[in-house]
Amino acid sequence: MRPVRIALFIAALGAAQAQAGVFDDEEARRQVTDLRVKTEARFDQQAKGQLDLASQIQRQADEISRLRGQIETLNYELETAKKRQQDFYLDLDTRLRKFETADSANATVNPENGANSKPAADPARETQEYEAALNQFKAGKYKEAAAGFGAYVQKYPASSLAPNAQYWLGNAWYAQRDCKRAIEAQSVVTTKYADSAKAPDAWLAIATCQQEMGNPTGVKRSLETVIAKYPTAPAADAARDRLKKK
Amino acid sequence: MKMNAMSPLFRFIFLPFFLFTVGIAQAQLSIEITGAGANRIPVTIVDFPGDPASSRIITSTVRADLERSGLFKLVDHNNLAFDENAPINHADWKSRGADALAAGSIARSADGRMEARFRLYDTQKGVSLGGAAYVTNSAQLRAAGHRIADFIYEKLTGEKGVFSTRIAYVVKARGQFLLQIADSDGQNAATALTSTEPIISPVWSPDGGRLAYVSFEKKKPVIYVHSLASGQRQIVANFKGSNSAPGWSPDGRKLAVVLSKDGFSQLYSVNADGSGLQRIIQSSGIDTEPRYSADGSTIYFTSDRGGSPQVYQVGASGGDVRRVTFEGSYNVSPRPSPDGKNLAFISRREGRFQLAVMDLATRQVQVVSDSNKDESPSFAPNSRMILIATEIGGRGVLSAVSSDGRIKQRLSVAAGDVREPAWGPYYQ
Amino acid sequence: MKKLLIPALLSAILVGCSTTPLPEDSNGAPVESRSGTGTGIASVTAGGVDANGLPRELTDPKSKLSQRSIYFDLDKYEVKDEYKDLVAAHAKYLSANKGFKVLLQGNTDERGSREYNLSLGQKRAEAVKRSLTLLGVSEAQIESVSLGEEKPKDAGHDEAAWSQNRRADILYKGADGRGEF
């Protein structure tokens, strides 16, 4: 019995030892695997981070493109609107002018009125010269238009179209981004032709130039003048609007 | 006036062509007219005395050309045949409704060559509008007919005719891609290149002797220039990445191309022999489909720099970029007209891809087609008609539309899809 | 990645063949050697490379690397989240096997201009290329090209077909010049 017990004991001991060896190996293997999984997980996480960042950059580039497209469209629409407004204004001016010249034609019938006018003005020729300058303006040739209107007001200061010509002279300077000369020209409308239909508009134009030149007190003064002097003119309404926006 | 008193400038000699390999019969284009101009000029072409078979080929070609253009109405010639020197009863033809009349003859010379002579008359005024004599041979009778039709077209409309021009297009049939060249009426189709891989974007050199195109035979897009007479092909651009969208400069010395060697598709110019590569502009997105304006000063192209594909314009050697199209979210494939007045492009409207034409002076845009899947517009050299690829009943066909949208013709191939049309330059 | 490891290991054991990148030779050109270990499973050993001469792990359906297509949304060229693991797996393989090259082919659906679609396909290929290089793959191992709408995988004309065709494919080539392109 005893030797059997001993033998059993030894066998059990051996088995235990062997078992311990197996556990050691498995543990090491598990740890290695763990480490590898962890490293790979870290790599994967980094990779994912990189890719996410790249996607984000791409999305932002797309967004910038979209915004660029919007700016392109808005600029185009602004340009088109500007042109349409100019066409509309010129059209209106041409139509109004027909009434104004009809009035002045009636006036010159009176011989007393013609007493101090220059020798035999040729209304057809006058109109032609005015028209030519206006066409230059319409075609966007502002330099030529300015020269044309300038010559016109020199030649026919008393013409019924002179206030209009003076007003368009101011606009032609403004279109060339010369605010100083534009104000000079419009100031002639507001003083010399203060009673003309163009005078309130000239004040508005002066205000616009002053705005661009960074002269807010001037803007305010000009707009208030329009309202005070020509309270019923459409320009006065525009002036009130602009003052409100401030 | 006798015909032989006419200027020798009007004499043309048709040399035989050794240009092409034999065309595939099933790939012959057939033409169908689906719309015509509002005011068509009534004209009569009488039969030409002489060899009846030859006469028939020439006069039927002239009549078909004029009719197809949509600008002429053929007045019955009552089977009458008389030559260019016969006296004309103008009042009689006027009363039959013909404003103009052409008569002619065919003479065979001892060496087998033929001479087709004709004269055009204005029956309203009772005067001759001139005539011409073309030396030809029995194989080139149709070509002589096209020359006569061009003469009549020019005299009566005031603009050059395009009947003698050729068109190039790609046919996909039975798993093969055929780059074909045909006369402007779809006849005489010949295959310049056969490939198992796609061929796209053929464009004619301004002299009409070469085609530039993109072939996928190297498993990626590569640009070739192909001399039609010799069949010789030269690689113009095979850089890393994709090489595509060739567009000839008007002097035929350079090509604007699109390369992706530095990332996205970008515009470059390269000499026709592949040398002298230069970058035109740079963007962070797609720039493609470059086309020189007729004067060579600017390039129209498609770009997605604004978030959606739109047509832009840039100086031929770079500089400021200007956007050209604004309506809609997909405007591609810009093609300036040879007369510089219009820009044709493809516009997506409510899910339909349609041919649109912009008047470059007023920027007004008009959709001129009524199909849904228009692609690859190409102007005729006289700027009047635009050839497009489109789809009818699930099959690729070509369609020619006048730039005002009034006149429409359809060209289809019996056994296959036709696509990627390119209208060649004037006959030289 | 864990998922990938097991089939890769399994196939390496089963195949009994290993693809071992060797240090670059004196000319600086990458060299590869393939050897059978003679396990006696001859038929499997023969399958160590596929018909194109590529190692099984690139073509075995059980391997993640056999997935070569990345699908895109309409008019988009952003690699979607669901494909990031796939791209990372190819990046890891290419980084470890510098002798291998890939051709990235971008594709689009049939709608719209052929040339514009060619550029759109290029953008898709380019997006995959950028992802690979970000993950450490050398630029010299990659060429990105476009097939545009010219080589549709599905020839149909509906959304089901189109979604199959808005795609970038990864094609492999070994140092010996054998492969899929």
Side-chain angles (χ1 to χ4, degrees), chain A residues 58 61-62 64-70 72-73 76, chain B residues 264 284 304-307 310 312 323-324 326-327 363:
Chain A
Q58 185 57 58
D62 290 351
I64 290 170
S65 292
R66 224 176 44 76
L67 292 174
R68 178 209 282 264
Q70 259 174 23
E72 286 170 349
T73 311
Y76 172 72
Chain B
F264 294 149
S284 57
D304 73 344
R305 57 185 63 209
Q310 297 289 346
Y312 291 77
R323 181 158 160 186
V324 178
F326 290 93
E327 290 169 59
R363 307 262 140 189

Side-chain angles (χ1 to χ4, degrees), chain B residues 259-380:
Chain B
L259 309 178
S260 71
K261 68 190 188 73
D262 298 318
F264 294 149
S265 304
Q266 297 281 287
L267 303 189
Y268 295 79
S269 69
V270 66
N271 294 332
D273 63 1
S275 68
L277 185 72
Q278 273 182 327
R279 189 154 185 158
I280 298 171
I281 37 166
Q282 196 150 8
S283 79
S284 57
I286 293 172
D287 287 345
T288 187
E289 301 188 304
R291 287 297 162 115
Y292 284 91
S293 59
D295 65 3
S297 65
T298 67
I299 291 173
Y300 291 91
F301 65 101
T302 309
S303 175
D304 73 344
R305 57 185 63 209
S308 67
Q310 297 289 346
V311 176
Y312 291 77
Q313 191 182 10
V314 68
S317 44
D320 285 343
V321 172
R322 198 173 67 97
R323 181 158 160 186
V324 178
T325 55
F326 290 93
E327 290 169 59
S329 61
Y330 193 97
N331 295 302
V332 299
S333 309
R335 312 284 199 254
S337 65
D339 64 9
K341 287 186 184 145
N342 293 313
L343 180 80
F345 59 98
I346 302 297
S347 185
R348 186 176 65 199
R349 315 223 160 180
E350 288 153 15
R352 304 169 76 189
F353 295 88
Q354 294 185 294
L355 174 65
V357 175
M358 178 187 281
D359 179 324
L360 286 171
T362 64
R363 307 262 140 189
Q364 290 290 317
V365 176
Q366 198 194 346
V367 172
V368 296
S369 80
D370 45 20
S371 31
N372 297 332
K373 293 185 174 174
D374 299 349
E375 281 183 24
S376 311
S378 173
F379 268 102

Side-chain angles (χ1 to χ4, degrees), chain B residues 3 47 173:
Chain B
M3 290 306 284
D47 292 336

Side-chain angles (χ1 to χ4, degrees), chain B residues 44-55:
Chain B
T44 292
I45 315 294
V46 299
D47 292 336
F48 291 8
D51 174 32
S54 305
S55 164

Side-chain angles (χ1 to χ4, degrees), chain C residues 83-98:
Chain C
Y83 296 106
K84 283 180 180 163
D85 281 352
L86 177 63
V87 171
H90 286 285
K92 201 183 283 181
Y93 185 83
L94 285 165
S95 299
N97 299 279
K98 298 217 180 288

Side-chain angles (χ1 to χ4, degrees), chain A:
Chain A
M1 221 28 198
R2 198 179 166 91
V4 172
R5 266 193 197 162
I6 290 164
L8 265 177
F9 176 75
I10 289 167
L13 203 70
Q17 266 178 344
Q19 217 165 5
V22 168
F23 280 137
D24 281 352
D25 267 7
E26 275 184 1
E27 177 61 18
R29 213 173 280 142
R30 196 180 59 76
Q31 279 177 5
V32 168
T33 311
D34 263 9
L35 194 65
R36 177 146 64 190
V37 167
K38 270 186 200 151
T39 312
E40 290 203 347
R42 198 157 54 225
F43 177 79
D44 288 353
Q45 198 139 24
Q46 267 183 356
K48 203 176 164 318
Q50 291 266 41
L51 293 184
D52 286 348
L53 201 61
S55 297
Q56 212 175 320
I57 291 168
Q58 185 57 58
R59 270 198 294 272
Q60 277 175 1
D62 290 351
E63 183 64 12
I64 290 170
S65 292
R66 224 176 44 76
L67 292 174
R68 178 209 282 264
Q70 259 174 23
I71 292 171
E72 286 170 349
T73 311
L74 288 174
N75 270 339
Y76 172 72
E77 279 166 4
L78 187 67
E79 222 172 89
T80 320
K82 257 191 198 161
K83 200 181 166 300
R84 207 178 305 137
Q85 199 181 21
Q86 196 193 24
D87 289 349
F88 178 68
Y89 207 40
L90 287 170
D91 179 53
L92 194 68
D93 186 69
T94 314
R95 285 202 243 170
L96 279 178
R97 200 152 35 75
K98 274 184 197 144
F99 288 107
E100 289 167 4
T101 44
D103 283 352
S104 69
N106 289 341
T108 46
V109 174
N110 188 339
E112 266 128 314
N113 248 8
N116 61 350
S117 71
K118 285 188 178 169
D122 177 354
R125 174 124 186 235
E126 267 182 51
T127 312
Q128 227 171 29
E129 284 178 37
Y130 178 86
E131 204 76 58
L134 196 61
N135 281 335
Q136 302 271 34
F137 189 90
K138 284 183 197 171
K141 295 177 180 162
Y142 303 119
K143 220 169 139 187
E144 292 82 349
F149 286 124
Y152 187 92
V153 293
Q154 287 252 308
K155 228 163 137 186
Y156 314 107
S159 156
S160 64
L161 289 172
N164 292 38
Q166 188 67 41
Y167 172 74
W168 284 113
L169 174 62
N171 282 337
W173 286 122
Y174 178 69
Q176 294 176 74
R177 297 265 151 249
D178 190 336
C179 268
K180 210 170 138 257
R181 279 188 161 135
I183 291 177
E184 272 171 31
Q186 299 295 14
S187 299
V188 176
V189 182
T190 59
T191 52
K192 193 170 176 184
Y193 305 112
D195 294 335
S196 78
K198 285 285 180 234
D201 291 334
W203 276 114
L204 278 188
I206 290 172
T208 307
C209 286
Q210 286 168 328
Q211 178 104 41
E212 289 197 11
M213 291 169 84
N215 175 7
T217 43
V219 175
K220 191 154 176 279
R221 205 172 50 232
S222 300
L223 293 177
E224 282 169 355
T225 310
V226 185
I227 299 165
K229 278 185 88 171
Y230 312 97
T232 55
D237 289 338
R240 281 182 205 107
D241 278 354
R242 279 166 70 171
L243 278 172
K244 247 185 260 164
K245 271 186 199 157
K246 297 267 134 105

